[in-house]
Amino acid sequence: MMSSCMMEAVPLFVRMVTGKSLIRKTFIVILLAVCVMTKLVLWWISNNAELLLPANTAFVGGRTRERRIKQDDKHLINAEGIRHDGRHLVDVGRSMPALVADNTDNSSKTNYSSNSPPAVINATTSETIDESCLKWCRRGDGAKPPYYVVAVLLVRIYYADKAKLTTREMIQWLQYLRYIGVEHVYVYDAYVNKKESQRSVLKMFIDDDYVTYIDWSHKAYPYSIRGTQVAAYQDCINKWGRDSVWQAAIDIDEYPFSVNDTRENFLPRILKQFDNPDSEVAEVTMQNYLFLGKPLNDTKHPLLIDRLWRRTKRHANALVKPIYKPTRLRGAQVHHNYIRNGVSINLPDKLLRMNHYWGARLQNWGDDTKEILDKTTQDSSMEVIVNEIQRCEACLGQDSSMEVIVNEIQRCEACLGRDSLYSKRWH
């Protein structure tokens, strides 16, 4: 259409330049403007077709195709990604099987020397789940500020990764935060390509008022600690710092954990020890315990915290992560914030630590080595929470967050086509 308009408009434009009629000149200018606007509208539609389509509809080759999702679909799906970690970008990604509980009862404990899991009592059917499960599973559910404790996450997920952390692990991490008592999460999505955006995947959490989604793509590239990561933490403090008593700035492979208290809502119980009006504590930090080794099969063990069961014998380094009172800070940082009023303290490891699921990084993504086994010890203390999160998935059933991920990946697959590079990698 544009080419035909231009073929007609060029000679008219020549006449306009040489002609004397004001009406003719005006008409030709309007014609040219219409042609240009038509081209711009067609370009916009081709790049934003998904915004004009109903849910579960894919745009394929200029046509729409309805994608109906069957409740009994158990697709093995793959999305690989990357996230920001410390001073560098760490690849993240992995095949994403739907989180389906195994009904086999393996409650007896076993002995193991490598990364074998403790025996886990698997999820029961939804009919036997009591009200307490539904209560923490649905945390958010229309809740509004003020909150007691919230979390802030800077994340980028896209296709390419050795660490094998993806959208699936982000959803698991959010469910874990629900269990430990975090009341709201601010997700800063630092995507580079529009198709990497996690907004649609997080829709269920957003609708439940558990997640506030922030498009951080304008800060994503080029990535820098100060310009991307610290800027996100500072933005959260500036905008929502007065909406909660505490904030935690952590990544999707970092899990606050208490050896002394694994019951639901343990994080608020710990932090309330520092709420005395006379307390000078403005920030507490969690020591960094690395969970290392070759992960177990992620099809049989969908939960990240059920794939790695060996950790360093003591905290691995000084790279702690903070939980802080935002109203008492002067400025944000990654490990220790600038405090305006008060002090920062390292918490005892048994009271609260950070389980950091690093996996096979130190062995170049290969099999377990004697060095890794010697520097780590078996730790089954997370098994109680693994059980509870599996019960949560049974509670939610087909309404679970993993169903949302299945839908979105299927839509993406339809968009790219069966012969695409991504489709070949998934299958």
Side-chain angles (χ1 to χ4, degrees):
M1 179 177 179
M2 183 65 179
S3 59
S4 61
C5 284
M6 292 301 295
M7 290 177 64
E8 296 174 12
V10 168
L12 291 174
F13 181 79
V14 174
R15 278 191 236 166
M16 180 190 74
V17 175
T18 58
K20 296 181 180 180
S21 171
L22 179 61
I23 295 176
R24 181 190 298 174
K25 293 179 179 179
T26 303
F27 174 78
I28 294 173
V29 169
I30 293 173
L31 178 62
L32 286 171
V34 169
C35 288
V36 172
M37 288 301 296
T38 302
K39 181 65 175 178
L40 290 174
V41 169
L42 291 174
W43 174 85
W44 186 90
I45 291 174
S46 67
N47 284 274
N48 297 274
E50 69 273 16
L51 300 178
L52 306 177
L53 300 175
N56 291 337
T57 302
F59 187 82
V60 184
R63 304 185 308 276
T64 61
R65 180 172 73 187
E66 188 74 6
R67 301 284 296 181
R68 303 219 175 259
I69 312 303
K70 295 181 180 179
Q71 288 189 350
D72 59 348
D73 282 348
K74 298 294 184 288
H75 292 272
L76 292 182
I77 46 184
N78 189 340
E80 300 177 337
I82 196 165
R83 72 176 183 82
H84 303 303
D85 184 21
R87 299 185 178 275
H88 58 281
L89 289 176
V90 176
D91 291 334
V92 294
R94 187 54 176 170
S95 61
M96 299 172 57
L99 188 53
V100 180
D102 183 357
N103 291 322
T104 305
D105 187 349
N106 297 314
S107 57
S108 60
K109 291 185 179 290
T110 57
N111 296 322
Y112 33 76
S113 59
S114 186
N115 234 339
S116 302
V120 172
I121 302 173
N122 291 287
T124 58
T125 60
S126 58
E127 288 80 3
T128 64
I129 301 301
D130 58 22
E131 290 298 319
S132 64
C133 176
L134 289 173
K135 184 176 180 180
W136 76 260
C137 280
R138 294 292 190 182
R139 196 182 304 280
D141 202 16
K144 301 294 182 184
Y147 306 113
Y148 182 70
V149 57
V150 301
V152 53
L153 168 70
L154 174 75
V155 66
R156 181 192 175 196
I157 291 177
Y158 81 106
Y159 301 92
D161 177 41
K162 293 182 178 179
K164 306 186 186 309
L165 303 173
T166 68
T167 300
R168 174 179 66 169
E169 281 68 32
M170 179 177 66
I171 297 295
Q172 295 174 8
W173 180 82
L174 288 169
Q175 291 290 70
Y176 181 88
L177 292 191
R178 276 178 159 167
Y179 177 81
I180 70 174
V182 173
E183 296 170 278
H184 195 81
V185 182
Y186 300 93
V187 177
Y188 284 75
D189 190 359
Y191 64 87
V192 174
N193 185 301
K194 187 176 180 180
K195 292 185 182 295
E196 299 167 6
S197 171
Q198 300 297 299
R199 184 192 295 270
S200 59
V201 175
L202 291 169
K203 184 177 185 301
M204 187 185 80
F205 293 93
I206 297 169
D207 291 346
D208 283 348
D209 289 314
Y210 189 68
V211 162
T212 294
Y213 176 88
I214 302 96
D215 186 324
W216 207 240
S217 57
H218 60 291
K219 297 279 192 178
Y221 185 83
Y223 169 79
S224 70
I225 293 292
R226 179 167 296 278
T228 307
Q229 188 172 9
V230 173
Y233 298 159
Q234 187 63 54
D235 183 76
C236 191
I237 292 171
N238 294 343
K239 291 180 178 177
W240 297 290
R242 295 189 178 278
D243 286 351
S244 65
V245 179
W246 295 91
Q247 275 187 11
I250 48 181
D251 297 329
I252 63 171
D253 61 352
E254 297 172 345
Y255 286 69
F257 179 75
S258 175
V259 176
N260 295 338
D261 185 357
T262 57
R263 294 170 298 148
E264 64 181 88
N265 298 317
F266 68 75
L267 186 58
R269 285 195 293 274
I270 293 171
L271 295 177
K272 284 178 181 178
Q273 302 176 38
F274 308 101
D275 283 347
N276 188 306
D278 298 329
S279 174
E280 295 184 352
V281 175
E283 174 185 85
V284 298
T285 57
M286 300 175 288
Q287 300 288 344
N288 186 15
Y289 279 78
L290 298 180
F291 277 69
L292 302 174
K294 185 176 182 179
L296 297 169
N297 182 285
D298 67 345
T299 301
K300 296 180 180 179
H301 303 274
L303 293 174
L304 175 62
I305 58 177
D306 189 26
R307 284 179 237 154
L308 292 161
W309 294 97
R310 296 191 69 87
R311 61 160 174 83
T312 50
K313 297 176 181 179
R314 60 188 304 274
H315 57 268
N317 49 48
L319 300 180
V320 298
K321 280 301 180 76
I323 305 176
Y324 47 88
K325 296 177 179 177
T327 58
R328 299 177 69 171
L329 297 188
R330 183 164 52 88
Q333 283 295 310
V334 176
H335 301 290
H336 284 284
N337 294 293
Y338 296 122
I339 297 174
R340 185 185 70 252
N341 179 22
V343 297
S344 175
I345 62 170
N346 285 326
L347 293 180
D349 296 351
K350 289 188 177 181
L351 180 63
L352 188 66
R353 73 186 190 203
M354 180 177 68
N355 287 1
H356 195 171
Y357 288 85
W358 252 37
R361 283 185 180 92
L362 297 185
Q363 60 216 56
N364 196 28
W365 314 106
D367 293 332
D368 289 339
T369 63
K370 184 178 185 302
E371 180 185 3
I372 292 296
L373 295 176
D374 288 345
K375 70 169 54 174
T376 59
T377 184
Q378 198 75 31
D379 186 342
S380 61
S381 55
M382 185 65 90
E383 68 175 301
V384 173
I385 300 180
V386 169
N387 290 348
E388 290 302 307
I389 292 179
Q390 288 178 328
R391 293 178 66 213
C392 175
E393 286 297 322
C395 281
L396 298 179
Q398 290 298 327
D399 192 30
S400 74
S401 53
M402 290 308 301
E403 188 75 10
V404 178
I405 300 176
V406 171
N407 293 353
E408 288 302 314
I409 298 299
Q410 287 177 327
R411 289 180 63 208
C412 182
E413 181 180 344
C415 178
L416 295 173
R418 290 285 176 178
D419 295 329
S420 71
L421 172 63
Y422 290 166
S423 182
K424 290 177 181 177
R425 291 180 66 182
W426 289 355
H427 298 287

